[in-house]
Amino acid sequence: RFSTATALEELIVPTVQISYTQNLIDGKFVDAASGKTFPTYDPRTGEVIAHVAEGDAEDINCAVSAARKAFDEGPWPKMTPYERSRILLRFADLVEKHSEELAALETWNNGKPHEQAAKSELPLLIRLFHYYAGWADKIHGLTVPADGPHHVQTLHEPIGVAGQIIPWNFPLIMFAWKVGPALACGNTIVLKTAEQTPLTALYVAKLFHEAGLPPGVLNVVSGYGPTAGAALASHMDVDKVAFTGSTDTGKIVLELAAKSNLKPVTLELGGKSPFIVCEDADVDKAVELAHFALFFNQGQCCCAGSRTFVHERVYDEFLEKAKARALRRVVGDPFKKGVEQGPQIDSQQFEKVLRYIRSGIESNATLECGGGRLGTRGYFIQPTVFSNVTDDMLIAKEEIFGPVQSILKFKDLDEVIRRANTTRYGLAAGVFTKNIDTANTLTRALRTGTVWINCFDVFDAAIPFGGYKMSGIGREKGIYSLHNYLQVKAVVTPLKNTAW
Ligand code: TXE
């Protein structure tokens, strides 16, 4: 029941205004130093919705100077943790107040279903800031039982100016994963948004200032990766860089950090996550969860369950039902109620996904449904299912980042463990079984940063997230995320000052 091209022609006009398009540096909205702007689009049509200041190295320099000054001179790192916590809470309240505009803007600029933005992502954004507000005044050092007559303690101090580079698939959630822990720990920030989705971060950064954040603490620069992004990663005055995006760009960021001032780097990169349906699975439930694991957010999730391994005993039934479910998926204007899938983010991603579909067909996987564009404008793609996928096919090895489910057959646990782990990625895995022994065996054997058992995409603020292998370095969310933004200082004092 794909939407027809006709239905896609009658698009809902968003009611939200685009109020902020300049860079936010030192508490003020300013044009790019070069005066340049770049267009940002509505992925439903490919039409321009606004022109945004195009930051480059010069704007990054200004933003870093502002962040440096705000860190070195304060008041932010010197404020009491409780005062910082209050600002984070006030910000969360303002986000709640402006949730409607923010959800509309997120859908307009990104193409994700409005119900998803409004009912799950905005509440999660608020929850993430409540969570980090809770941490701000609970960051403790240790008293260390060292040998010898010394009193030894550790101070957990903010690391300084954090450079943060985020992608376009979850613009507001990525903002929160980066900004939340950095601010809770007392750092200052220069954030570079993805060129596809600059609008909501500017909006919420404005709200942060209304909440009482001092100027220079959070600076937001819009612009392209090789110019603005690279300038941030290689800046000598940036003390830490955090990046989410492709594995290839992650390598560049790591290299730029190493070649400049050896700033520590956290990376959250691509994935090719297995979703394993065991022989005892309730097939209807497994189909629904595997469908969600892959198709959620137009398939544009780093942790998407993009290799659906199904035990041979339930394979045929699973396949038939997975295909029927994909055919029932409601694709259309993401502003319309009941729509499950909107357009892909831009023409580049759209073309990339279609290329992988062609590659699947050429490598003799069986195209069960979908396989093409939907409508005549915008970046809509039919929910696509391939069966008879084998491990050597490109669609089983590379990140497609689109609504393309690849179904692979397996015979026993040892085999599926080996195959699931045969990838350069290690972000997440899904396991669907009623058998606790099977769940325990798989959990320990899978080399991934998350294992979801009989669930998928559970993104609580307290649950750490990150990758093994080439899916990244470090963890975001939860208590682990704080370590990315803290330095540990050992302070050693003789118990009796006999030396002097
Ligand atoms: O990613 P990039 P793109 C994967 C997904 C997708 C592919 C390409 O497979 O199809 O990556 O997407 C900035 N120095 N993911 O091209 O290039 C860029 O401006 C510094 C997975 O969008 O990694 C943007 O802000 N920064 C993923 C950010 O990096 C640079 C989410 C991400 O862009 C830079 C998105 C440079 N030289 C895509 N070049 C996930 N892990 O969730 C680009 N950037």
Side-chain angles (χ1 to χ4, degrees), residues 436-467:
I436 187 109
D437 293 339
T438 304
N440 283 334
T441 304
L442 286 172
T443 302
R444 278 157 181 73
L446 291 167
R447 307 247 311 128
T448 60
T450 299
V451 179
W452 282 299
I453 298 165
N454 299 333
C455 61
F456 207 85
D457 281 347
V458 178
F459 278 113
D460 191 277
I463 303 175
F465 185 78

PDB file of all heavy atoms in Angstrom, residues 436-467:
ATOM      1  N   ILE A 436      16.510 -18.525  26.980  1.00  0.00           N
ATOM      2  CA  ILE A 436      17.480 -17.715  27.731  1.00  0.00           C
ATOM      3  C   ILE A 436      18.919 -18.152  27.446  1.00  0.00           C
ATOM      4  O   ILE A 436      19.831 -17.325  27.395  1.00  0.00           O
ATOM      5  CB  ILE A 436      17.165 -17.737  29.242  1.00  0.00           C
ATOM      6  CG1 ILE A 436      18.066 -16.770  30.019  1.00  0.00           C
ATOM      7  CG2 ILE A 436      17.281 -19.101  29.863  1.00  0.00           C
ATOM      8  CD1 ILE A 436      17.350 -15.590  30.514  1.00  0.00           C
ATOM      9  N   ASP A 437      19.121 -19.455  27.231  1.00  0.00           N
ATOM     10  CA  ASP A 437      20.484 -19.926  26.933  1.00  0.00           C
ATOM     11  C   ASP A 437      20.965 -19.370  25.594  1.00  0.00           C
ATOM     12  O   ASP A 437      22.112 -18.933  25.460  1.00  0.00           O
ATOM     13  CB  ASP A 437      20.528 -21.461  26.878  1.00  0.00           C
ATOM     14  CG  ASP A 437      20.256 -22.070  28.252  1.00  0.00           C
ATOM     15  OD1 ASP A 437      20.434 -21.341  29.245  1.00  0.00           O
ATOM     16  OD2 ASP A 437      19.852 -23.245  28.302  1.00  0.00           O
ATOM     17  N   THR A 438      20.061 -19.386  24.624  1.00  0.00           N
ATOM     18  CA  THR A 438      20.423 -18.830  23.309  1.00  0.00           C
ATOM     19  C   THR A 438      20.745 -17.345  23.456  1.00  0.00           C
ATOM     20  O   THR A 438      21.734 -16.847  22.907  1.00  0.00           O
ATOM     21  CB  THR A 438      19.239 -19.012  22.325  1.00  0.00           C
ATOM     22  OG1 THR A 438      18.908 -20.385  22.291  1.00  0.00           O
ATOM     23  CG2 THR A 438      19.582 -18.518  20.955  1.00  0.00           C
ATOM     24  N   ALA A 439      19.892 -16.632  24.199  1.00  0.00           N
ATOM     25  CA  ALA A 439      20.104 -15.190  24.378  1.00  0.00           C
ATOM     26  C   ALA A 439      21.450 -14.939  25.062  1.00  0.00           C
ATOM     27  O   ALA A 439      22.226 -14.067  24.629  1.00  0.00           O
ATOM     28  CB  ALA A 439      18.972 -14.596  25.205  1.00  0.00           C
ATOM     29  N   ASN A 440      21.754 -15.717  26.098  1.00  0.00           N
ATOM     30  CA  ASN A 440      23.023 -15.522  26.806  1.00  0.00           C
ATOM     31  C   ASN A 440      24.216 -15.845  25.918  1.00  0.00           C
ATOM     32  O   ASN A 440      25.230 -15.132  25.926  1.00  0.00           O
ATOM     33  CB  ASN A 440      23.069 -16.395  28.061  1.00  0.00           C
ATOM     34  CG  ASN A 440      22.242 -15.801  29.175  1.00  0.00           C
ATOM     35  OD1 ASN A 440      22.039 -14.582  29.227  1.00  0.00           O
ATOM     36  ND2 ASN A 440      21.742 -16.642  30.064  1.00  0.00           N
ATOM     37  N   THR A 441      24.106 -16.940  25.165  1.00  0.00           N
ATOM     38  CA  THR A 441      25.217 -17.329  24.281  1.00  0.00           C
ATOM     39  C   THR A 441      25.488 -16.233  23.260  1.00  0.00           C
ATOM     40  O   THR A 441      26.632 -15.807  23.065  1.00  0.00           O
ATOM     41  CB  THR A 441      24.864 -18.648  23.555  1.00  0.00           C
ATOM     42  OG1 THR A 441      24.566 -19.620  24.543  1.00  0.00           O
ATOM     43  CG2 THR A 441      26.001 -19.123  22.672  1.00  0.00           C
ATOM     44  N   LEU A 442      24.427 -15.751  22.627  1.00  0.00           N
ATOM     45  CA  LEU A 442      24.610 -14.726  21.593  1.00  0.00           C
ATOM     46  C   LEU A 442      25.126 -13.420  22.190  1.00  0.00           C
ATOM     47  O   LEU A 442      26.033 -12.786  21.645  1.00  0.00           O
ATOM     48  CB  LEU A 442      23.296 -14.485  20.850  1.00  0.00           C
ATOM     49  CG  LEU A 442      22.892 -15.600  19.881  1.00  0.00           C
ATOM     50  CD1 LEU A 442      21.486 -15.369  19.336  1.00  0.00           C
ATOM     51  CD2 LEU A 442      23.881 -15.694  18.715  1.00  0.00           C
ATOM     52  N   THR A 443      24.575 -13.037  23.313  1.00  0.00           N
ATOM     53  CA  THR A 443      24.981 -11.771  23.939  1.00  0.00           C
ATOM     54  C   THR A 443      26.491 -11.726  24.168  1.00  0.00           C
ATOM     55  O   THR A 443      27.148 -10.727  23.890  1.00  0.00           O
ATOM     56  CB  THR A 443      24.274 -11.604  25.300  1.00  0.00           C
ATOM     57  OG1 THR A 443      22.885 -11.647  25.050  1.00  0.00           O
ATOM     58  CG2 THR A 443      24.625 -10.309  25.957  1.00  0.00           C
ATOM     59  N   ARG A 444      27.022 -12.834  24.660  1.00  0.00           N
ATOM     60  CA  ARG A 444      28.454 -12.838  24.962  1.00  0.00           C
ATOM     61  C   ARG A 444      29.321 -12.998  23.718  1.00  0.00           C
ATOM     62  O   ARG A 444      30.452 -12.535  23.681  1.00  0.00           O
ATOM     63  CB  ARG A 444      28.765 -13.912  26.002  1.00  0.00           C
ATOM     64  CG  ARG A 444      28.471 -13.393  27.393  1.00  0.00           C
ATOM     65  CD  ARG A 444      28.201 -14.465  28.415  1.00  0.00           C
ATOM     66  NE  ARG A 444      27.920 -13.850  29.709  1.00  0.00           N
ATOM     67  CZ  ARG A 444      26.799 -13.213  30.010  1.00  0.00           C
ATOM     68  NH1 ARG A 444      25.833 -13.083  29.107  1.00  0.00           N
ATOM     69  NH2 ARG A 444      26.626 -12.678  31.204  1.00  0.00           N
ATOM     70  N   ALA A 445      28.764 -13.622  22.700  1.00  0.00           N
ATOM     71  CA  ALA A 445      29.586 -13.889  21.508  1.00  0.00           C
ATOM     72  C   ALA A 445      29.607 -12.724  20.514  1.00  0.00           C
ATOM     73  O   ALA A 445      30.552 -12.585  19.742  1.00  0.00           O
ATOM     74  CB  ALA A 445      29.064 -15.144  20.804  1.00  0.00           C
ATOM     75  N   LEU A 446      28.572 -11.890  20.518  1.00  0.00           N
ATOM     76  CA  LEU A 446      28.496 -10.829  19.508  1.00  0.00           C
ATOM     77  C   LEU A 446      29.428  -9.678  19.874  1.00  0.00           C
ATOM     78  O   LEU A 446      29.407  -9.189  21.013  1.00  0.00           O
ATOM     79  CB  LEU A 446      27.048 -10.340  19.383  1.00  0.00           C
ATOM     80  CG  LEU A 446      26.098 -11.368  18.755  1.00  0.00           C
ATOM     81  CD1 LEU A 446      24.642 -10.968  18.956  1.00  0.00           C
ATOM     82  CD2 LEU A 446      26.424 -11.554  17.271  1.00  0.00           C
ATOM     83  N   ARG A 447      30.217  -9.251  18.911  1.00  0.00           N
ATOM     84  CA  ARG A 447      31.202  -8.187  19.163  1.00  0.00           C
ATOM     85  C   ARG A 447      30.591  -6.839  18.778  1.00  0.00           C
ATOM     86  O   ARG A 447      30.951  -6.227  17.768  1.00  0.00           O
ATOM     87  CB  ARG A 447      32.468  -8.474  18.359  1.00  0.00           C
ATOM     88  CG  ARG A 447      33.023  -9.883  18.605  1.00  0.00           C
ATOM     89  CD  ARG A 447      34.340  -9.912  19.307  1.00  0.00           C
ATOM     90  NE  ARG A 447      35.303  -9.011  18.719  1.00  0.00           N
ATOM     91  CZ  ARG A 447      35.985  -8.097  19.424  1.00  0.00           C
ATOM     92  NH1 ARG A 447      35.784  -7.975  20.719  1.00  0.00           N
ATOM     93  NH2 ARG A 447      36.854  -7.326  18.815  1.00  0.00           N
ATOM     94  N   THR A 448      29.648  -6.398  19.592  1.00  0.00           N
ATOM     95  CA  THR A 448      28.948  -5.145  19.302  1.00  0.00           C
ATOM     96  C   THR A 448      28.737  -4.345  20.582  1.00  0.00           C
ATOM     97  O   THR A 448      28.675  -4.910  21.675  1.00  0.00           O
ATOM     98  CB  THR A 448      27.550  -5.421  18.682  1.00  0.00           C
ATOM     99  OG1 THR A 448      26.766  -6.192  19.612  1.00  0.00           O
ATOM    100  CG2 THR A 448      27.651  -6.185  17.376  1.00  0.00           C
ATOM    101  N   GLY A 449      28.605  -3.035  20.424  1.00  0.00           N
ATOM    102  CA  GLY A 449      28.454  -2.149  21.589  1.00  0.00           C
ATOM    103  C   GLY A 449      27.105  -2.266  22.273  1.00  0.00           C
ATOM    104  O   GLY A 449      26.963  -1.873  23.434  1.00  0.00           O
ATOM    105  N   THR A 450      26.108  -2.726  21.567  1.00  0.00           N
ATOM    106  CA  THR A 450      24.776  -2.943  22.157  1.00  0.00           C
ATOM    107  C   THR A 450      24.241  -4.280  21.679  1.00  0.00           C
ATOM    108  O   THR A 450      24.426  -4.631  20.504  1.00  0.00           O
ATOM    109  CB  THR A 450      23.787  -1.846  21.686  1.00  0.00           C
ATOM    110  OG1 THR A 450      24.250  -0.571  22.104  1.00  0.00           O
ATOM    111  CG2 THR A 450      22.384  -2.066  22.257  1.00  0.00           C
ATOM    112  N   VAL A 451      23.580  -5.025  22.567  1.00  0.00           N
ATOM    113  CA  VAL A 451      22.784  -6.176  22.133  1.00  0.00           C
ATOM    114  C   VAL A 451      21.365  -5.948  22.660  1.00  0.00           C
ATOM    115  O   VAL A 451      21.153  -5.807  23.864  1.00  0.00           O
ATOM    116  CB  VAL A 451      23.335  -7.511  22.681  1.00  0.00           C
ATOM    117  CG1 VAL A 451      22.455  -8.669  22.216  1.00  0.00           C
ATOM    118  CG2 VAL A 451      24.777  -7.731  22.223  1.00  0.00           C
ATOM    119  N   TRP A 452      20.432  -5.851  21.727  1.00  0.00           N
ATOM    120  CA  TRP A 452      19.028  -5.719  22.118  1.00  0.00           C
ATOM    121  C   TRP A 452      18.384  -7.102  22.024  1.00  0.00           C
ATOM    122  O   TRP A 452      18.350  -7.704  20.947  1.00  0.00           O
ATOM    123  CB  TRP A 452      18.294  -4.760  21.183  1.00  0.00           C
ATOM    124  CG  TRP A 452      18.553  -3.305  21.467  1.00  0.00           C
ATOM    125  CD1 TRP A 452      18.279  -2.631  22.613  1.00  0.00           C
ATOM    126  CD2 TRP A 452      19.116  -2.327  20.555  1.00  0.00           C
ATOM    127  NE1 TRP A 452      18.635  -1.294  22.479  1.00  0.00           N
ATOM    128  CE2 TRP A 452      19.139  -1.087  21.243  1.00  0.00           C
ATOM    129  CE3 TRP A 452      19.586  -2.374  19.241  1.00  0.00           C
ATOM    130  CZ2 TRP A 452      19.614   0.089  20.651  1.00  0.00           C
ATOM    131  CZ3 TRP A 452      20.059  -1.210  18.649  1.00  0.00           C
ATOM    132  CH2 TRP A 452      20.080   0.009  19.355  1.00  0.00           C
ATOM    133  N   ILE A 453      17.889  -7.609  23.143  1.00  0.00           N
ATOM    134  CA  ILE A 453      17.234  -8.922  23.137  1.00  0.00           C
ATOM    135  C   ILE A 453      15.726  -8.714  23.141  1.00  0.00           C
ATOM    136  O   ILE A 453      15.177  -8.078  24.048  1.00  0.00           O
ATOM    137  CB  ILE A 453      17.668  -9.744  24.370  1.00  0.00           C
ATOM    138  CG1 ILE A 453      19.177  -9.968  24.291  1.00  0.00           C
ATOM    139  CG2 ILE A 453      16.926 -11.071  24.442  1.00  0.00           C
ATOM    140  CD1 ILE A 453      19.774 -10.439  25.564  1.00  0.00           C
ATOM    141  N   ASN A 454      15.068  -9.229  22.135  1.00  0.00           N
ATOM    142  CA  ASN A 454      13.607  -9.095  21.984  1.00  0.00           C
ATOM    143  C   ASN A 454      13.141  -7.644  22.058  1.00  0.00           C
ATOM    144  O   ASN A 454      12.053  -7.340  22.542  1.00  0.00           O
ATOM    145  CB  ASN A 454      12.867  -9.944  23.027  1.00  0.00           C
ATOM    146  CG  ASN A 454      13.200 -11.413  22.854  1.00  0.00           C
ATOM    147  OD1 ASN A 454      13.532 -11.840  21.738  1.00  0.00           O
ATOM    148  ND2 ASN A 454      13.132 -12.186  23.916  1.00  0.00           N
ATOM    149  N   CYS A 455      14.000  -6.745  21.638  1.00  0.00           N
ATOM    150  CA  CYS A 455      13.635  -5.336  21.512  1.00  0.00           C
ATOM    151  C   CYS A 455      14.659  -4.729  20.546  1.00  0.00           C
ATOM    152  O   CYS A 455      15.584  -5.425  20.117  1.00  0.00           O
ATOM    153  CB  CYS A 455      13.682  -4.617  22.872  1.00  0.00           C
ATOM    154  SG  CYS A 455      15.309  -4.618  23.655  1.00  0.00           S
ATOM    155  N   PHE A 456      14.483  -3.483  20.175  1.00  0.00           N
ATOM    156  CA  PHE A 456      15.470  -2.849  19.293  1.00  0.00           C
ATOM    157  C   PHE A 456      15.323  -1.337  19.419  1.00  0.00           C
ATOM    158  O   PHE A 456      14.252  -0.824  19.734  1.00  0.00           O
ATOM    159  CB  PHE A 456      15.247  -3.278  17.824  1.00  0.00           C
ATOM    160  CG  PHE A 456      16.523  -3.232  17.016  1.00  0.00           C
ATOM    161  CD1 PHE A 456      17.396  -4.306  17.012  1.00  0.00           C
ATOM    162  CD2 PHE A 456      16.856  -2.101  16.269  1.00  0.00           C
ATOM    163  CE1 PHE A 456      18.589  -4.260  16.285  1.00  0.00           C
ATOM    164  CE2 PHE A 456      18.044  -2.051  15.540  1.00  0.00           C
ATOM    165  CZ  PHE A 456      18.900  -3.136  15.544  1.00  0.00           C
ATOM    166  N   ASP A 457      16.416  -0.620  19.201  1.00  0.00           N
ATOM    167  CA  ASP A 457      16.384   0.848  19.227  1.00  0.00           C
ATOM    168  C   ASP A 457      15.820   1.394  20.535  1.00  0.00           C
ATOM    169  O   ASP A 457      15.043   2.354  20.529  1.00  0.00           O
ATOM    170  CB  ASP A 457      15.553   1.404  18.049  1.00  0.00           C
ATOM    171  CG  ASP A 457      16.343   1.381  16.750  1.00  0.00           C
ATOM    172  OD1 ASP A 457      17.575   1.187  16.786  1.00  0.00           O
ATOM    173  OD2 ASP A 457      15.709   1.546  15.680  1.00  0.00           O
ATOM    174  N   VAL A 458      16.197   0.803  21.644  1.00  0.00           N
ATOM    175  CA  VAL A 458      15.809   1.371  22.945  1.00  0.00           C
ATOM    176  C   VAL A 458      16.899   2.373  23.319  1.00  0.00           C
ATOM    177  O   VAL A 458      18.041   1.985  23.553  1.00  0.00           O
ATOM    178  CB  VAL A 458      15.678   0.264  24.014  1.00  0.00           C
ATOM    179  CG1 VAL A 458      15.323   0.869  25.372  1.00  0.00           C
ATOM    180  CG2 VAL A 458      14.620  -0.751  23.581  1.00  0.00           C
ATOM    181  N   PHE A 459      16.521   3.656  23.334  1.00  0.00           N
ATOM    182  CA  PHE A 459      17.532   4.716  23.447  1.00  0.00           C
ATOM    183  C   PHE A 459      17.386   5.561  24.707  1.00  0.00           C
ATOM    184  O   PHE A 459      17.367   6.776  24.648  1.00  0.00           O
ATOM    185  CB  PHE A 459      17.484   5.611  22.209  1.00  0.00           C
ATOM    186  CG  PHE A 459      18.233   5.010  21.074  1.00  0.00           C
ATOM    187  CD1 PHE A 459      17.578   4.577  19.940  1.00  0.00           C
ATOM    188  CD2 PHE A 459      19.601   4.840  21.150  1.00  0.00           C
ATOM    189  CE1 PHE A 459      18.287   3.999  18.890  1.00  0.00           C
ATOM    190  CE2 PHE A 459      20.318   4.264  20.116  1.00  0.00           C
ATOM    191  CZ  PHE A 459      19.653   3.844  18.985  1.00  0.00           C
ATOM    192  N   ASP A 460      17.246   4.908  25.822  1.00  0.00           N
ATOM    193  CA  ASP A 460      17.151   5.611  27.088  1.00  0.00           C
ATOM    194  C   ASP A 460      18.409   6.464  27.321  1.00  0.00           C
ATOM    195  O   ASP A 460      19.504   6.076  26.908  1.00  0.00           O
ATOM    196  CB  ASP A 460      17.042   4.538  28.181  1.00  0.00           C
ATOM    197  CG  ASP A 460      16.664   5.113  29.517  1.00  0.00           C
ATOM    198  OD1 ASP A 460      17.560   5.598  30.223  1.00  0.00           O
ATOM    199  OD2 ASP A 460      15.476   5.082  29.819  1.00  0.00           O
ATOM    200  N   ALA A 461      18.217   7.595  27.992  1.00  0.00           N
ATOM    201  CA  ALA A 461      19.337   8.505  28.249  1.00  0.00           C
ATOM    202  C   ALA A 461      20.472   7.839  29.038  1.00  0.00           C
ATOM    203  O   ALA A 461      21.640   8.199  28.887  1.00  0.00           O
ATOM    204  CB  ALA A 461      18.831   9.719  29.025  1.00  0.00           C
ATOM    205  N   ALA A 462      20.122   6.862  29.868  1.00  0.00           N
ATOM    206  CA  ALA A 462      21.117   6.258  30.758  1.00  0.00           C
ATOM    207  C   ALA A 462      21.881   5.095  30.115  1.00  0.00           C
ATOM    208  O   ALA A 462      22.869   4.621  30.666  1.00  0.00           O
ATOM    209  CB  ALA A 462      20.431   5.762  32.029  1.00  0.00           C
ATOM    210  N   ILE A 463      21.425   4.635  28.945  1.00  0.00           N
ATOM    211  CA  ILE A 463      22.046   3.456  28.331  1.00  0.00           C
ATOM    212  C   ILE A 463      23.204   3.892  27.427  1.00  0.00           C
ATOM    213  O   ILE A 463      23.005   4.684  26.505  1.00  0.00           O
ATOM    214  CB  ILE A 463      21.015   2.679  27.472  1.00  0.00           C
ATOM    215  CG1 ILE A 463      19.808   2.272  28.322  1.00  0.00           C
ATOM    216  CG2 ILE A 463      21.660   1.450  26.836  1.00  0.00           C
ATOM    217  CD1 ILE A 463      18.688   1.595  27.533  1.00  0.00           C
ATOM    218  N   PRO A 464      24.415   3.385  27.691  1.00  0.00           N
ATOM    219  CA  PRO A 464      25.537   3.800  26.850  1.00  0.00           C
ATOM    220  C   PRO A 464      25.384   3.284  25.424  1.00  0.00           C
ATOM    221  O   PRO A 464      24.784   2.235  25.196  1.00  0.00           O
ATOM    222  CB  PRO A 464      26.743   3.140  27.519  1.00  0.00           C
ATOM    223  CG  PRO A 464      26.189   2.013  28.304  1.00  0.00           C
ATOM    224  CD  PRO A 464      24.805   2.411  28.719  1.00  0.00           C
ATOM    225  N   PHE A 465      25.938   4.037  24.480  1.00  0.00           N
ATOM    226  CA  PHE A 465      25.826   3.659  23.069  1.00  0.00           C
ATOM    227  C   PHE A 465      27.146   3.952  22.372  1.00  0.00           C
ATOM    228  O   PHE A 465      27.727   5.018  22.545  1.00  0.00           O
ATOM    229  CB  PHE A 465      24.695   4.464  22.404  1.00  0.00           C
ATOM    230  CG  PHE A 465      24.426   4.050  20.992  1.00  0.00           C
ATOM    231  CD1 PHE A 465      23.693   2.905  20.727  1.00  0.00           C
ATOM    232  CD2 PHE A 465      24.921   4.787  19.922  1.00  0.00           C
ATOM    233  CE1 PHE A 465      23.442   2.495  19.419  1.00  0.00           C
ATOM    234  CE2 PHE A 465      24.680   4.390  18.609  1.00  0.00           C
ATOM    235  CZ  PHE A 465      23.934   3.242  18.363  1.00  0.00           C
ATOM    236  N   GLY A 466      27.605   2.987  21.567  1.00  0.00           N
ATOM    237  CA  GLY A 466      28.842   3.191  20.826  1.00  0.00           C
ATOM    238  C   GLY A 466      29.282   1.882  20.216  1.00  0.00           C
ATOM    239  O   GLY A 466      28.624   0.849  20.417  1.00  0.00           O
ATOM    240  N   GLY A 467      30.397   1.931  19.491  1.00  0.00           N
ATOM    241  CA  GLY A 467      30.724   0.770  18.694  1.00  0.00           C
ATOM    242  C   GLY A 467      32.021   0.061  19.032  1.00  0.00           C
ATOM    243  O   GLY A 467      32.970   0.665  19.532  1.00  0.00           O
TER     244      GLY A 467
END
